[in-house]
Amino acid sequence: MRLFRNRPPDNRPADNHVHTRWSWDTPDASTMRRACERAIAQGLPAIAFTEHLDFTVWHEDDAATSQGLIDRHPAYQRPIDVDGYWAELTECRERFPELRIWSGVETGEPHLFATSVAEHLQDSPVDRVLGSLHSLSLDGQLVGVGRLLYADPDATMRRYLGEVVHMIESSDVFQVLAHVDFPRRYWPGGSEHYVEKDYEEEYRAVFRALAATGRALEVNTSSPLASVDQVRWFHEEGGEAISFGSDAHAPTAVGQRFDLAVDIVETAGFRPGRDRFEFWRR
Ligand SMILES: [Zn+2]
Ligand SMILES: [Zn+2]
């Protein structure tokens, strides 16, 4: 058996949330090729390149416009170079036939940018669409939640989770809810001071809304890991599907902490899908 000692476990799921240099916040050295090599070394069956789809200029039909939002703060976001993205993805599919490679986007605030997102996807359809809330409105601007937390972490967290419910109920463009409690990454004083249980009712409202649509909850392994309790709340509220996402912005982070995440999700009552490419199921 010594021969196989370093072989990765064969129950590792697909990584449905990976960024590369085609995302505005990811360095040039983070190539798809290196991410694929890492995925194969980790024993992952599949990888999805879900680049950030964020807008700094919006369509007149977007809800962001009708809500009177003027701009973003900060506003470093850049459009995806669709031609470059597809050229590298196609090359990787040829180079790594043993790995299933999905196209994707991580839509930021998709409920505020429905028309802009639809236009992008019409020109460049993808396999995986993640839905993310990174920002909340403040005085006519969309402001990154990390900045809002410092004024009032508790109120910001409750407002955030309430807005996630609204995002789920008013946008059906995404298949997976990414990093449900994104602000905990930036919790004042350190994420270890964040107490999930304080927001149980708010989480449950999110999970009820998501479960009602049959969509998947992501266990995000860049964020501080969800507890078994949190994933179980989703199960208790009728949640059907779980997606695993490293949210890697560097190739070395592809598939990070998936063994821990699998343990958590299994303990909370979910099982692998029919094959290794599917979401996990209740
Ligand atoms: Zn995100
Ligand atoms: Zn991401």
Side-chain angles (χ1 to χ4, degrees):
M1 291 313 288
R2 212 167 148 245
L3 199 59
F4 299 108
R5 234 169 74 189
N6 294 322
R7 196 177 66 179
D10 58 10
N11 66 340
R12 285 190 182 149
D15 191 338
N16 284 310
H17 187 163
V18 172
H19 298 276
T20 69
R21 59 192 176 127
W22 306 107
S23 284
W24 59 267
D25 64 348
T26 304
D28 287 345
S30 293
T31 63
M32 286 183 183
R33 181 175 168 173
R34 291 184 60 210
C36 288
E37 287 167 353
R38 182 71 174 189
I40 291 165
Q42 297 271 306
L44 307 188
I47 187 170
F49 291 117
T50 52
E51 312 299 351
H52 284 294
L53 183 60
D54 296 312
F55 300 94
T56 53
V57 177
W58 29 91
H59 197 282
E60 60 179 7
D61 293 337
D62 286 334
T65 305
S66 54
Q67 288 183 19
L69 293 167
I70 304 302
D71 60 11
R72 279 185 182 271
H73 180 67
Y76 312 129
Q77 296 84 355
R78 292 284 172 271
I80 299 169
D81 170 356
V82 169
D83 293 340
Y85 172 87
W86 282 105
E88 192 179 0
L89 191 135
T90 304
E91 186 199 315
C92 284
R93 281 178 173 163
E94 284 164 16
R95 187 186 294 271
F96 304 106
E98 68 273 49
L99 182 68
R100 195 169 293 188
I101 301 172
W102 288 312
S103 56
V105 285
E106 177 182 6
T107 58
E109 299 81 42
H111 59 315
L112 299 180
F113 301 105
T115 302
S116 295
V117 170
E119 281 188 353
H120 179 93
L121 292 177
Q122 190 167 13
D123 293 343
S124 179
V126 294
D127 302 314
R128 285 267 180 274
V129 179
L130 312 182
S132 291
L133 188 68
H134 299 119
S135 304
L136 291 168
S137 63
L138 180 72
D139 301 332
Q141 286 192 314
L142 266 180
V143 180
V145 290
R147 290 168 191 250
L148 296 173
L149 273 184
Y150 283 86
D152 188 341
D154 184 63
T156 301
M157 195 66 209
R158 288 182 206 282
R159 193 183 153 210
Y160 178 91
L161 290 169
E163 185 69 12
V164 173
V165 173
H166 180 54
M167 183 175 91
I168 293 165
E169 290 177 341
S170 55
S171 172
D172 59 8
V173 76
F174 59 94
Q175 308 145 347
V176 176
L177 174 65
H179 48 52
V180 57
D181 49 14
F182 178 70
R184 77 189 287 177
R185 293 186 186 180
Y186 310 106
W187 203 251
S191 60
E192 69 276 16
H193 296 291
Y194 175 77
V195 183
E196 271 178 352
K197 183 85 184 143
D198 290 351
Y199 305 97
E200 179 177 345
E201 283 317 305
E202 285 83 357
Y203 278 109
R204 283 185 181 275
V206 169
F207 295 157
R208 265 195 303 280
L210 192 65
T213 71
R215 285 181 281 181
L217 175 71
E218 175 187 88
V219 172
N220 184 296
T221 60
S222 271
S223 289
L225 279 183
S227 68
V228 171
D229 282 346
Q230 190 201 117
V231 181
R232 195 176 277 136
W233 296 335
F234 179 56
H235 193 277
E236 287 171 1
E237 298 298 338
E240 287 174 13
I242 294 283
S243 175
F244 294 83
S246 69
D247 208 353
H249 287 70
T252 50
V254 170
Q256 62 184 333
R257 302 198 293 171
F258 269 24
D259 291 346
L260 272 172
V262 159
D263 281 349
I264 289 166
V265 168
E266 218 160 27
T267 308
F270 291 89
R271 296 289 172 266
R274 274 167 303 191
D275 59 44
R276 293 188 67 201
F277 305 106
E278 281 205 0
F279 295 133
W280 280 40
R281 297 280 165 187
R282 60 187 291 121

